[in-house]
Amino acid sequence: MEMDVYDHDSYMMSLGNLFMLKLFHEEGINVSKFPNFMVHSEYNVQVCSDIFWGGMIQLVHDAKCYNYEELEDFKSVFPTFKTGEGANPTPEYIITIQDSIFKEVLKGANSKHIKELLPEIAHRGNLEDVEVVILPDNSGIAYLCYYPTSEFHSIAEGIIFLKNEAIRLGKESKKELEDGYSNQFFNREPA
C-alpha cells in the first residue's frame, strides 16, 4: 500500500494534534471544545495552531506570538534582547511564554537548572531550527522559530515540561526556606 506525501503529512500532523490534546487534558484543561484534531496538510493546518493557542491561554498567564513583521513590537517589550544584528539570527517568529512560576524560579537560586534544560527542550520531537531562551527580564521563556513549523505538539510538550519543572523547583525552594537551611549546603561535595 502506498501513501502520498500529503496524506502522510496529514496523518502526522493529526497525530501531533491528538498528542497535544492529550497533554492539555493531563494538565487539567477541558479540551472538549477544541477543534477536531484531524487535519489535511493542503488546506486546514491552522487547526494545529488553534489547538496550541487554545491550550496555552489556559495553561500559562501570558502567551504571545510575534511574527517576522511584529519583531519591532517584540523589541519594544524586550529592548535588551538582540535579534538579527545581535546574538541571535532573526527568527521567523517568536513565541513568548510568561508565567509567575517561571518568574519566581528564574529569579531564584534554581534558575541554573532551568537554563541547563533549554537546549534539550529546543530539540524535542522533530523540532529543528528552534532555540529556547530565557526572556531578558526573567519573566519566562521564548521559542525562537527560524522556519515555520507544524510541530506545535513538541513546543507544547516542552512548555509543559518546563512549567512542571519550575513548579517542582519552586516547591523545593519554599521547603528549604521553611526548614531554615539548604539541603544543598549539607549535601555538597567536599572542597
Side-chain angles (χ1 to χ4, degrees):
M1 183 173 128
E2 290 186 25
M3 180 184 298
D4 72 31
V5 68
Y6 300 110
D7 287 340
H8 178 266
D9 285 349
S10 300
Y11 281 115
M12 295 307 290
M13 290 166 63
S14 296
L15 286 171
N17 288 342
L18 182 60
F19 180 61
M20 214 174 356
L21 289 172
K22 175 190 172 292
L23 289 171
F24 291 141
H25 175 71
E26 288 174 348
E27 292 299 310
I29 295 171
N30 180 2
V31 296
S32 63
K33 302 271 192 243
F34 280 54
N36 187 341
F37 68 92
M38 292 296 293
V39 297
H40 195 279
S41 64
E42 292 183 341
Y43 56 85
N44 65 344
V45 295
Q46 182 63 35
V47 171
C48 302
S49 175
D50 293 343
I51 292 172
F52 176 79
W53 290 107
M56 282 299 116
I57 60 175
Q58 294 181 58
L59 184 69
V60 296
H61 175 73
D62 190 19
K64 290 188 177 112
C65 182
Y66 299 89
N67 63 31
Y68 189 79
E69 292 83 27
E70 299 168 324
L71 286 180
E72 290 305 316
D73 296 337
F74 176 80
K75 289 178 182 179
S76 70
V77 177
F78 302 104
T80 60
F81 191 86
K82 302 286 184 213
T83 59
E85 72 286 343
N88 303 301
T90 303
E92 187 73 23
Y93 56 95
I94 300 171
I95 297 171
T96 60
I97 305 295
Q98 294 175 283
D99 197 88
S100 59
I101 188 63
F102 286 127
K103 192 172 194 173
E104 179 183 320
V105 171
L106 291 172
K107 290 188 177 187
N110 288 319
S111 65
K112 180 182 173 191
H113 181 69
I114 294 290
K115 289 176 186 174
E116 290 171 352
L117 293 172
L118 297 182
E120 172 195 332
I121 297 298
H123 300 292
R124 269 188 191 252
N126 293 325
L127 287 178
E128 295 178 13
D129 300 316
V130 171
E131 188 177 357
V132 184
V133 297
I134 294 174
L135 291 170
D137 63 356
N138 289 326
S139 63
I141 59 170
Y143 273 77
L144 307 177
C145 303
Y146 297 104
Y147 293 100
T149 184
S150 61
E151 296 287 325
F152 285 105
H153 63 280
S154 296
I155 295 173
E157 181 183 26
I159 291 168
I160 290 169
F161 176 79
L162 282 174
K163 183 173 182 186
N164 289 333
E165 193 64 14
I167 289 169
R168 184 185 69 76
L169 291 170
K171 286 179 182 176
E172 282 181 10
S173 293
K174 285 179 184 170
K175 181 163 176 29
E176 287 176 3
L177 287 174
E178 288 172 4
D179 292 346
Y181 61 87
S182 169
N183 290 332
Q184 293 175 348
F185 176 76
F186 292 108
N187 297 326
R188 68 180 180 194
E189 295 288 322

